[in-house]
Amino acid sequence: MSDLPAAGWRLRGTLLGPDGAQGADLYIDGSGRVSPDPLPGAEDLATGGWIVPGLVDAHCHVGLGPNGPITDLEECADQARTDRDAGTLLIRDCGSPVDTSALRLREDLPEIIRAGRHVARPKRYIPGLAAELDDPRLLVEEVRTQAARGDGWVKLVGDWIDRGLGDGADLAPLWPDEVLAEAVGAAHEMGARVTAHVFGTDALPGLIGAGIDCIEHGTGLTDDLISEMARRGTALVPTLINVETFPSIAEQATKYPRYAGHMRDLHAHAWETVGRAIEAGVAVYAGTDAGGGIRHGRIADEVAELARAGHPDPIGAASWSARAWLGRPAGPVAGAPADLVVYDRDPRDDLDVLRDPSLVVIRGRRVSVGT
């Protein structure tokens, strides 16, 4: 990364945002923040191109790898750098057993909004990742614990395969409805929002009825549940590049034919389901589910899948709209950290442009992409 010149930077180009495209002449001061006024002597950093507020991966896992938790913080930082080089400058980390809070102090890395550990029942999630509760009545207190550890989010496992059903094993809810309502209320009292991993349908009524703030994946949504999410303002992060793995998950589940068939069916209808949610007015944001089986740096792939599902503003779902949803400035407002991505061509005309940023600026510092 380059140092900031004493006089600051100047960027000229076309700024994309919620109101479309407009000419921009931006200045970044010596602290790495957007200046409200022109800065005499500022060095030109960009004199053309399309400027996009830093991209957002709204479902990511920094600290998870193919073999489980990553305890080396520098290896975790490598994951975040991969996302950064792809233009992702804000990450909502949707659950990790690794405390990555120290990475928030790093000026070279994206801002990470952490959700603490997943909360699940024993043998009802990926081994070693979740805080596992023998008694579902312990959920309320565990939610309070994770809310205190995170950065304003708590992540529940809403459903998972129940192998205790033998040959009839399938996706099944983890939590009683009344416990969910109390747990979500406890998080809200602490100023935290709650989201949940949900593949199937059965767990969704209880979660949505409890006032949950977001659903991850949501492949089992029905029209009635979509309408209720729209009414309540419940968001959806569908992680469609992860949904693409459902057929391979089914192929490995030979002992559980009912579950395997269910996963195939969810995959077959996922893009249609997301499209219906968008049409109904549900706020849908881009998240890759990077970590574990999904490699980091794939935000452009998820944007493309949202477009395939019919999202009218897939770039906004991974930038200005997602930033506002997460409580960050939607664009380069005066005094805010200068987190920007510049492209040589208009990404609205060709989403593949998002795969090749010409310039990444994080907290006002220029990134040499790939380093």
Side-chain angles (χ1 to χ4, degrees):
M1 289 178 51
S2 67
D3 292 330
L4 269 161
W9 296 117
R10 181 186 186 187
L11 289 85
R12 287 173 287 163
T14 301
L15 177 65
L16 301 185
D19 299 322
Q22 57 184 323
D25 195 355
L26 303 174
Y27 289 84
I28 301 172
D29 65 24
S31 69
R33 296 180 176 271
V34 178
S35 172
D37 304 305
L39 299 174
E43 297 183 20
D44 282 334
L45 186 56
T47 57
W50 281 260
I51 304 169
V52 176
L55 299 183
V56 179
D57 191 336
H59 185 133
C60 192
H61 301 282
V62 176
L64 298 185
N67 299 315
I70 297 170
T71 57
D72 183 344
L73 270 185
E74 196 53 41
E75 191 174 345
C76 297
D78 286 342
Q79 292 181 328
R81 272 191 290 268
T82 297
D83 291 316
R84 177 203 71 187
D85 290 358
T88 295
L89 304 182
L90 179 61
I91 291 170
R92 184 181 65 137
D93 192 309
C94 267
S96 174
V98 181
D99 182 1
T100 59
S101 56
L103 300 183
R104 299 193 68 190
L105 304 175
R106 298 271 296 267
E107 292 184 342
D108 62 323
L109 299 179
E111 180 183 357
I112 301 174
I113 300 172
R114 299 173 303 111
R117 291 188 78 165
H118 301 76
V119 184
R121 302 290 306 285
K123 298 182 180 180
R124 295 295 303 279
Y125 196 53
I126 300 168
L129 299 192
E132 297 184 347
L133 308 181
D134 291 327
D135 185 340
R137 291 172 297 183
L138 299 173
L139 179 64
V140 178
E141 192 57 38
E142 186 62 34
V143 162
R144 291 194 179 102
T145 297
Q146 296 305 325
R149 290 177 179 173
D151 300 318
W153 282 90
V154 175
K155 173 70 175 292
L156 307 181
V157 178
D159 71 359
W160 196 252
I161 184 173
D162 185 352
R163 294 178 176 85
L165 300 176
D167 291 346
D170 198 0
L171 295 167
L174 273 70
W175 313 104
D177 290 355
E178 63 275 12
V179 172
L180 283 172
E182 188 177 353
V184 172
H188 289 170
E189 288 173 4
M190 295 181 66
R193 290 187 272 182
V194 184
T195 193
H197 160 109
V198 195
F199 284 163
T201 300
D202 292 349
L204 286 166
L207 290 162
I208 297 168
I212 201 164
D213 301 280
C214 183
I215 296 295
E216 311 297 319
H217 318 301
T219 42
L221 284 166
T222 64
D223 287 343
D224 287 346
L225 291 168
I226 286 170
S227 295
E228 185 65 7
M229 285 180 69
R231 186 184 74 81
R232 289 174 172 268
T234 312
L236 173 64
V237 181
T239 68
L240 287 168
I241 62 172
N242 181 31
V243 174
E244 284 281 24
T245 70
F246 282 16
S248 64
I249 293 173
E251 288 174 8
Q252 298 171 34
T254 54
K255 294 198 301 184
Y256 307 108
R258 182 176 178 181
Y259 167 73
H262 195 177
M263 293 298 285
R264 291 189 181 96
D265 184 66
L266 292 171
H267 172 265
H269 297 97
W271 283 257
E272 177 188 348
T273 299
V274 174
R276 294 201 314 272
I278 292 166
E279 290 177 2
V282 174
V284 176
Y285 301 107
T288 65
D289 208 355
I294 306 292
R295 65 176 175 80
H296 287 261
R298 294 190 59 192
I299 191 63
D301 292 334
E302 186 63 23
V303 172
E305 294 304 319
L306 288 181
R308 175 184 165 196
H311 201 301
D313 186 19
I315 300 174
S319 180
W320 47 85
S321 296
R323 296 181 69 83
W325 177 57
L326 292 173
R328 302 301 185 269
V333 299
D339 289 342
L340 303 163
V341 191
V342 182
Y343 301 93
D344 290 334
R345 294 180 290 133
D346 190 340
R348 297 172 302 172
D349 296 336
D350 179 3
L351 292 175
D352 279 345
V353 171
L354 295 175
R355 304 181 191 282
D356 189 23
S358 60
L359 175 66
V360 175
V361 180
I362 183 167
R363 297 179 186 85
R365 290 161 177 81
R366 178 176 56 194
V367 173
S368 297
V369 175
T371 63

